Amino acid sequence: MAFPPRGATNHAPADPVVQGVLARRRGGPTGWASFTSDFSPRHDPQDHRDCTSFTFGTGAVRWITEAGGSQSQQPRRLGRYLASGRAHNVVLPDGREPTAGAGVPRTTARIGDASIHIIDTTVHGPDYRHARAFVLLDDLSGIAVLDAFATADRPLFLEGFLHVPPEVVVALTDPQRAFGLRDGRRLSIVGRMLVGRFGGLSVTSGWNGPSPAVQGFVAGPTEAMQPAAVLSYGMSGQRRVCGGVLIAASRRSLDALVRTVDDVRFAPLIVG
């Protein structure tokens, strides 16, 4: 998932889905912005692990990235990590890795200054019904990522991941809010729930100890893995959970995301 160079050309906010890839790029006086999510069909059954993972940059800063790197070129533990869903910006239900499956676009809509894309997936197996919603502000100054899971009548626990590049510093301010900092710019990351409870935020960097797993590495220019922050967020509920994070480069964009997600037209799109 590549990012455009500075001065990238403006594009209308049509958000086309081409062969299972949702992408938007913009340029402007504050620098390029880019969003990409891939849920295209895979030939390798292992590649379902990154279904609906995404990258995001705005204000000419790459904020959300992926672990990247070649599994075969890493030591065994790092190789296993790269072959897991935990190396991507996805949500895992009840600690279970994704299984074989696919992502299928369900709905595209507009609310205010944002476009909304709902993607149904089957990568979590027959025990779960899953949809992911991306809310993209027209100027790409902010995005929201929310997941809806439903299962049998039992408790449901979710863990989501956001990987950031090594040059971005992540700071927690309270259980539902974090900041990304780089070169005088700041990114707000705020938990948001529609159904269920938000379980808090945590940051891991370069964890290669025993339990629970390797976490907090991204591939450098030479494929060598470098420590980098991973922001994890938890969600829970009974039978049904829907929530995620708002990611914004300014107070104005955060307010716009809140208005969109709180709009009475939004929840029925993802929760049903």
Side-chain angles (χ1 to χ4, degrees):
M1 299 181 184
F3 287 84
R6 296 178 185 271
T9 304
N10 272 308
H11 289 263
D15 304 335
V17 176
V18 179
Q19 296 181 342
V21 177
L22 172 63
R24 171 106 68 81
R25 291 171 172 81
R26 289 180 62 87
T30 59
W32 58 261
S34 174
F35 168 88
T36 305
S37 178
D38 190 350
F39 48 93
S40 56
R42 307 295 192 176
H43 299 293
D44 180 349
Q46 294 299 316
D47 281 343
H48 54 256
R49 65 186 181 272
D50 66 347
C51 182
T52 71
S53 187
F54 68 98
T55 60
F56 174 62
T58 191
V61 175
R62 181 176 60 142
W63 291 108
I64 309 296
T65 187
E66 287 200 313
S70 170
Q71 177 185 349
S72 62
Q73 295 182 23
Q74 307 301 330
R76 179 177 299 179
R77 283 175 60 80
L78 282 174
R80 286 199 300 264
Y81 166 63
L82 293 177
S84 73
R86 300 177 69 88
H88 300 277
N89 302 312
V90 297
V91 169
L92 304 184
D94 299 322
R96 300 187 190 183
E97 284 290 325
T99 60
V104 179
R106 187 214 306 171
T107 302
T108 298
R110 286 196 61 81
I111 296 176
D113 295 328
S115 59
I116 297 99
H117 299 266
I118 312 294
I119 301 163
D120 290 319
T121 84
T122 57
V123 297
H124 300 289
D127 291 346
Y128 302 95
R129 197 164 72 246
H130 172 241
R132 169 162 272 198
F134 291 112
V135 178
L136 309 181
L137 295 182
D138 289 345
D139 62 1
L140 277 187
S141 62
I143 66 172
V145 184
L146 296 98
D147 289 86
F149 278 85
T151 188
D153 190 12
R154 60 175 177 80
L156 179 59
F157 300 93
L158 309 177
E159 185 179 16
F161 306 97
L162 297 175
H163 296 73
V164 304
E167 58 270 20
V168 173
V169 175
V170 177
L172 301 181
T173 60
D174 63 53
Q176 288 193 240
R177 185 182 294 264
F179 291 105
L181 304 168
R182 183 187 177 189
D183 298 335
R185 294 180 181 267
R186 186 170 77 168
L187 189 78
S188 295
I189 302 171
V190 181
R192 196 73 171 182
M193 298 301 299
L194 300 181
V195 181
R197 299 176 299 278
F198 196 75
L201 299 166
S202 65
V203 177
T204 305
S205 182
W207 175 254
N208 196 11
S211 178
V214 174
Q215 192 71 69
F217 290 91
V218 300
T222 63
E223 292 286 330
M225 302 304 288
Q226 300 176 327
V230 175
L231 185 69
S232 301
Y233 55 99
M235 301 179 285
S236 63
Q238 183 72 22
R239 192 176 69 83
R240 185 185 293 266
V241 175
C242 180
V245 288
L246 313 181
I247 304 172
S250 69
R251 182 69 206 189
R252 180 190 60 79
S253 54
L254 181 60
D255 289 344
L257 290 172
V258 170
R259 286 194 301 271
T260 301
V261 173
D262 285 352
D263 191 288
V264 295
R265 294 169 290 177
F266 179 76
L269 292 174
I270 182 171
V271 177

